[in-house]
Amino acid sequence: LFSCCDCTLTYYRKKEDPWNAILSGAATGGILAARAGMKAAGKSALVGGVILAAIEGLNLVVMRVVMPYFEKQQTVEVDTLMPPVDPLKPRNPIKRKPLFDRNADPSSSPLLTGGSGFGSFGGGGGFASPSSSSSSSGQWDAPGFG
């Protein structure tokens, strides 16, 4: 009900100021107590207006007196032209080795030479090179299939 009154006053007055909230508080108090009679509605409207005037007055004091004090105490300068620094990003990134060397000879890979590594499961080597294979195709053949 308060918001309804506040928005209605803002629309008709074409202003957004503390008087809207004060009058809305008074109207809300009066509307809620209207069933008890005119005298009770008037008292409730007065109390609602006084309560909202106190709240708006305190808000005004905070905004005009207290906030400038804290703004003067602020030591952090904010540069609006630079993007903000991500606090979760590490400042010194970890340098890691690449997973493989693009310039290395592929025949020296443990997967292809038959040495220790993933290609030597079950007693067989990896892939055999064309020179050591008995296959005449000249391509890389898997042992036992050629």
Side-chain angles (χ1 to χ4, degrees), residues 112 126-143 145-146:
L112 300 175
F127 294 99
S129 66
S131 61
S132 65
S133 174
S134 60
S135 173
S136 62
S137 66
Q139 295 180 356
W140 297 88
D141 296 325
F145 294 106

Side-chain angles (χ1 to χ4, degrees), residues 35-77:
R35 290 180 60 191
M38 289 299 289
K39 188 174 181 181
K43 286 181 182 179
S44 293
L46 182 65
V47 169
V50 168
I51 289 173
L52 265 296
I55 291 171
E56 289 297 323
L58 182 64
N59 186 24
L60 189 67
V61 167
V62 167
M63 295 305 288
R64 292 203 179 161
V65 175
V66 177
M67 288 305 291
Y69 172 76
F70 284 115
E71 287 174 356
K72 288 178 185 177
Q73 299 295 327
Q74 185 179 8
T75 58
V76 177
E77 292 183 24

Side-chain angles (χ1 to χ4, degrees), residues 76-93:
V76 177
E77 292 183 24
V78 178
D79 185 7
T80 57
L81 298 177
M82 296 298 295
V85 177
D86 184 6
L88 301 177
K89 182 179 178 185
R91 294 178 193 252
N92 297 326

